[in-house]
Amino acid sequence: LSTERCFVEVLLRASDQYPSESSSGSSTQTTLLYPGHEYTTDLLMRQFDQKTITQDGHWVRMAPSTFFETASHYLTSAHRRALPQGQKLLTIPTPLDKEMIVNPNFRTLKRRGEHLVNAILLWYEFGAENRVPAENRSMFTPTNKRRKDSIFTTVYSDDLNTILQDLRSGKIDPVSAADQIEALESRLDENLIARRPIPSTLPSHKNVYLGILAMTVLGSAPAAVTLSDANIMNMAAPVESTDEILISKSRLISALRQFGLLSGGGSVHLEDIIALLWDESRLDSKSKEDDLESSIDNDLIELGLLKLSMFGVALNQPSWFSKYCVPCIQPKPDYDENSWVTTCKLKRTNGELQKHDPKTCLLCQGVVSSP
């Protein structure tokens, strides 16, 4: 987890370096990563080893463009390192936006962000005491700009053949054909199997843990091992209980923005929902809302208060996290009896809705199905 928080730190430092570009995502295009090694080819090859691929990180759960971008990066780096002695070329640096695709650590962070967004929207639908005004609509639009320095470009053959046939028959002019060809690559950004949580259901106990974990990884800065290290290195100090970990609202929003996840709030701005979550999670917000001299830090809030508001998990349960890592143990957290999760009477489920049509899926067309 400490490693994941460091990867988040890389993203946020890139956005801090180019604040005017962070909202559009171009800060990741202008940031170069220089790792202190030349293991690029080996690390990429490991991603195709079935023994090391987790179920949640399997290629079939990702967009095809992610697989082909990673395979392209591997082939390019393997070629450069296989050149004759004295002619070998470096595989580094790597632009940050490409690293966010081919690096499994960044992909894990994005999945955590998606998991957290679903949890926040669920809380807003059933657990929020107040509503965000409907006119506060999202002004964030994720960019879909294609990389200009890609060595290979992958498209669906059926899409390309359709354009070629229309061009030869005169149905479309060359300019229209060029526009359609330019848009072909973005088709691979779409997941072949659409997945989403089952509506009007609470997450399973395991997903509650994953939601709290995502909040911690994306919203808290890397912490030092000791208090003296924290003072010397200007880092967050270690805490005795995980409930005391400080989560930054601005850091969380910036991380979600870097992964293009702030467009998931529908008609209401997701940033406003997160701000509402922060306000309603503060135990002292009602008593101090009229105190003009109050010095409440509206950005930082303890993890324990957030998990109580979002998931109804009672405070001071540090043993829950330690037990969860032991194989074969599936602990059930203690839920606050007055929280919305215990009063709403919704069922818990670990399932998800999946949408796939073999008639329209280009990978499944013309294939005979089997039970």
Side-chain angles (χ1 to χ4, degrees):
L1 297 182
S2 297
T3 302
E4 290 187 19
R5 291 158 93 180
C6 290
F7 275 95
V8 176
E9 187 72 17
V10 171
L11 283 179
L12 299 185
R13 292 194 181 190
S15 62
D16 289 341
Q17 187 70 23
Y18 306 96
S20 62
E21 301 176 352
S22 60
S23 60
S24 63
S26 57
S27 61
T28 59
Q29 299 175 9
T30 53
T31 302
L32 299 178
L33 295 186
Y34 287 83
H37 57 72
E38 250 304 347
Y39 302 141
T40 304
T41 304
D42 293 336
L43 293 176
L44 289 169
M45 187 61 189
R46 293 179 188 177
Q47 298 188 44
F48 299 98
D49 187 351
Q50 295 296 322
K51 297 179 181 179
T52 61
I53 298 178
T54 62
Q55 181 179 1
D56 190 46
H58 201 281
W59 293 112
V60 296
R61 298 182 67 90
M62 305 179 195
S65 60
T66 302
F67 173 83
F68 288 116
E69 183 71 28
T70 306
S72 170
H73 196 48
Y74 163 73
L75 183 59
T76 302
S77 63
H79 167 75
R80 294 177 181 176
R81 301 308 294 169
L83 293 174
Q85 193 68 27
Q87 300 181 26
K88 297 181 185 296
L89 299 175
L90 294 176
T91 63
I92 56 177
T94 306
L96 182 54
D97 61 338
K98 173 177 283 190
E99 195 75 15
M100 291 173 65
I101 299 175
V102 303
N103 192 314
N105 294 287
F106 282 116
R107 296 200 298 263
T108 297
L109 290 178
K110 184 173 183 179
R111 287 197 300 273
R112 292 201 187 283
E114 293 169 345
H115 191 99
L116 181 58
V117 167
N118 289 331
I120 291 175
L121 295 179
L122 179 67
W123 167 83
Y124 181 68
E125 182 178 359
F126 295 101
E129 296 181 2
N130 301 293
R131 297 283 101 180
V132 175
E135 59 269 17
N136 289 359
R137 300 183 181 276
S138 175
M139 300 299 294
F140 174 76
T141 303
T143 56
N144 240 353
K145 295 181 179 179
R146 310 305 305 169
R147 293 195 50 80
K148 301 300 183 182
D149 60 344
S150 296
I151 306 299
F152 301 97
T153 299
T154 308
V155 300
Y156 286 116
S157 298
D158 189 64
D159 289 345
L160 180 60
N161 290 333
T162 299
I163 296 176
L164 293 177
Q165 292 175 6
D166 291 344
L167 187 59
R168 290 192 179 102
S169 63
K171 290 184 179 180
I172 57 176
D173 57 79
V175 176
S176 298
D179 293 338
Q180 293 183 34
I181 292 175
E182 190 176 30
L184 286 184
E185 191 180 1
S186 61
R187 281 261 286 154
L188 275 76
D189 292 334
E190 304 171 7
N191 284 353
L192 298 174
I193 301 179
R195 306 172 188 271
R196 64 185 180 93
I198 299 177
S200 301
T201 60
L202 293 174
S204 65
H205 305 308
K206 177 181 178 180
N207 284 335
V208 168
Y209 168 79
L210 293 177
I212 297 173
L213 196 62
M215 180 76 75
T216 306
V217 170
L218 298 177
S220 64
V225 178
T226 65
L227 182 58
S228 60
D229 288 344
N231 294 329
I232 296 174
M233 303 174 67
N234 193 26
M235 298 180 65
V239 294
E240 295 183 1
S241 170
T242 56
D243 284 350
E244 299 174 1
I245 296 176
L246 293 178
I247 308 299
S248 167
K249 177 175 59 177
S250 59
R251 182 184 181 90
L252 179 64
I253 291 175
S254 296
L256 295 177
R257 177 182 292 112
Q258 289 294 75
F259 287 111
L261 298 176
L262 284 185
S263 58
S267 61
V268 179
H269 200 177
L270 188 57
E271 291 186 42
D272 292 327
I273 297 179
I274 295 176
L276 179 64
L277 172 63
W278 250 244
D279 291 339
E280 294 194 3
S281 297
R282 296 187 183 280
L283 298 178
D284 55 358
S285 60
K286 293 182 179 179
S287 60
K288 295 187 178 183
E289 60 183 358
D290 297 327
D291 186 359
L292 298 179
E293 298 181 359
S294 175
S295 59
I296 301 177
D297 189 340
N298 291 323
D299 184 61
L300 296 174
I301 188 172
E302 293 183 350
L303 175 64
L305 298 179
L306 289 173
K307 74 180 188 182
L308 176 63
S309 292
M310 286 184 60
F311 301 104
V313 177
L315 301 175
N316 299 320
Q317 296 186 68
S319 60
W320 179 41
F321 283 87
S322 60
K323 290 180 180 178
Y324 198 88
C325 297
V326 179
C328 304
I329 292 181
Q330 297 291 330
K332 177 182 177 181
D334 293 330
Y335 294 99
D336 188 277
E337 60 181 11
N338 297 319
S339 66
W340 69 274
V341 297
T342 56
T343 59
C344 66
K345 306 302 182 181
L346 296 179
K347 294 183 179 180
R348 293 190 179 275
T349 177
N350 193 36
E352 58 182 1
L353 296 180
Q354 301 184 13
K355 182 180 179 181
H356 175 258
D357 187 357
K359 295 181 180 179
T360 58
C361 177
L362 295 178
L363 273 64
C364 301
Q365 286 181 345
V367 179
V368 178
S369 62
S370 61

